[in-house]
Amino acid sequence: MIHLRSISIVTASRDRFPFSVPAIRTLPKLSLDTPVTFFVGENGSGKSTLLEGVALAAGLPTVGAQEVSADATLDAQRVLGRAVKLTWNRRTRRGFFLRAEDFFGFSKQLAQWRAELLQRMSELDVEYQDRSAYAMGLAKMPIAASLADMERRYGIDLDANSHGQSFLRLFQSRFVPGGLYLMDEPEAPLSPQSQLALMALMHDMVAHDAQFIIATHSPILLAFPDARIYSFDALPVTRVEYESLEHVALTREFLNAPERFLRHLASSPASPQRKGRRGPAGRSND
């Protein structure tokens, strides 16, 4: 199911960020005619900025510590969100927007919430020690229900798992059929094996009418079957094939012959220099 059919920008102020970013300023109408679309490009190319603008325009909830609509660091993206035109086949308000940095904050926040709930349970033990077990049970019931719901959705301690396990569990727990899912660099907490597991989850979700738009650097994720890929390194933003991506070619060349790349490290200007060398007249060069 293709919920969001296309993205375009209807107004732009060329002198103001983010419209000063070349890829945003020259953005053509982007067709989203496959269930999975990738934005790829170097850091600063505008792919994440556009994704944030689309999330704001679509009104999607954020999986993270703060909603994008209230995040003070995204004032410019809110301006972009008002300039973005979204064309829908079928409007959906299901789904979410997930940035890798928000995932780390969310897992910490869950651990804090759980600790606070457990602390309150301990306090009730003291407060109700002279009252009946029935009264204590009634007082604890809302807290116990919150703990049980948290553990059902995220496990006993999301932050105690590996980042990859936690991310995949969080992803599964928030999935509902028929949603639009925007993700910014989801590979950050994931090993290659976990990236494959994410692709398997995405495949299953597409079968339940999910649509994905993902900004990524990952050659593994970019290989998702039949996905459309837009390069933000080209101006204007252009559709590209997987095999033509520099990310893919460079990764393949490195894996085939890492020594070709690594042999230059010893002579790199960034290589550490020995300390304590003596310069002319016995002066230290440190």
Side-chain angles (χ1 to χ4, degrees):
M1 169 63 67
I2 309 300
H3 303 286
L4 182 57
R5 188 168 73 241
S6 67
I7 301 168
S8 57
I9 293 180
V10 293
T11 59
S13 174
R14 289 177 175 268
D15 299 328
R16 182 179 180 183
F17 179 82
F19 303 106
S20 57
V21 176
I24 302 296
R25 186 175 64 247
T26 63
L27 189 77
K29 182 177 181 179
L30 302 183
S31 177
L32 311 175
D33 54 4
T34 60
V36 178
T37 300
F38 289 110
F39 295 166
V40 65
E42 292 299 323
N43 293 332
S45 63
K47 63 185 187 301
S48 296
T49 300
L50 180 61
L51 198 68
E52 290 164 343
V54 172
L56 285 157
L60 292 176
T62 303
V63 179
Q66 190 173 31
E67 292 292 334
V68 290
S69 59
D71 190 334
T73 67
L74 297 179
D75 287 342
Q77 285 80 348
R78 276 187 280 279
V79 175
L80 176 60
R82 292 191 291 270
V84 167
K85 178 182 179 182
L86 305 180
T87 304
W88 301 88
N89 284 324
R90 187 180 72 182
R91 182 71 166 89
T92 182
R93 298 190 183 278
R94 296 180 174 183
F96 57 70
F97 173 49
L98 175 61
R99 296 175 294 187
E101 61 266 30
D102 287 337
F103 159 73
F104 296 113
F106 186 65
S107 63
K108 295 289 185 184
Q109 188 178 69
L110 279 178
Q112 180 180 342
W113 287 342
R114 186 172 185 275
E116 291 172 355
L117 290 172
L118 291 172
Q119 176 63 32
R120 182 56 185 154
M121 291 282 268
S122 298
E123 292 171 355
L124 289 174
D125 284 333
V126 176
E127 293 174 16
Y128 282 77
Q129 61 183 347
D130 296 327
R131 302 181 65 177
S132 68
Y134 179 74
M136 182 181 290
L138 285 178
K140 287 185 173 182
M141 189 177 297
I143 301 172
S146 296
L147 280 169
D149 183 61
M150 186 180 296
E151 292 173 6
R152 176 182 59 80
R153 297 183 68 180
Y154 306 115
I156 292 178
D157 188 355
L158 187 67
D159 199 41
N161 299 321
S162 71
H163 286 152
Q165 291 172 328
S166 298
F167 182 93
L168 294 174
R169 183 152 194 168
L170 173 63
F171 189 71
Q172 287 178 294
S173 72
R174 297 294 294 265
F175 169 68
V176 291
L180 174 64
Y181 297 90
L182 309 185
M183 295 190 288
D184 188 15
E185 300 185 9
E187 69 273 15
L190 300 178
S191 68
Q193 186 67 38
S194 293
Q195 290 182 48
L196 293 173
L198 174 61
M199 292 173 73
L201 286 174
M202 290 169 54
H203 182 270
D204 291 342
M205 291 168 68
V206 165
H208 290 86
D209 294 335
Q211 181 181 2
F212 293 88
I213 306 174
I214 301 172
T216 184
H217 296 285
S218 169
I220 295 176
L221 295 182
L222 288 164
F224 192 92
D226 301 319
R228 171 162 286 199
I229 303 172
Y230 284 108
S231 172
F232 280 64
D233 290 330
L235 291 178
V237 173
T238 303
R239 180 183 178 183
V240 295
E241 298 300 323
Y242 177 78
E243 291 295 335
S244 69
L245 286 169
E246 184 178 358
H247 292 68
V248 174
L250 182 60
T251 301
R252 182 177 289 135
E253 289 176 10
F254 179 84
L255 293 176
N256 286 337
E259 67 280 357
R260 288 177 49 206
F261 297 84
L262 300 179
R263 68 188 177 193
H264 300 293
L265 292 182
S267 59
S268 169
S271 297
Q273 301 294 323
R274 286 193 306 161
K275 293 186 177 182
R277 290 188 299 112
R278 293 286 169 178
R283 294 192 301 272
S284 172
N285 287 336
D286 291 349

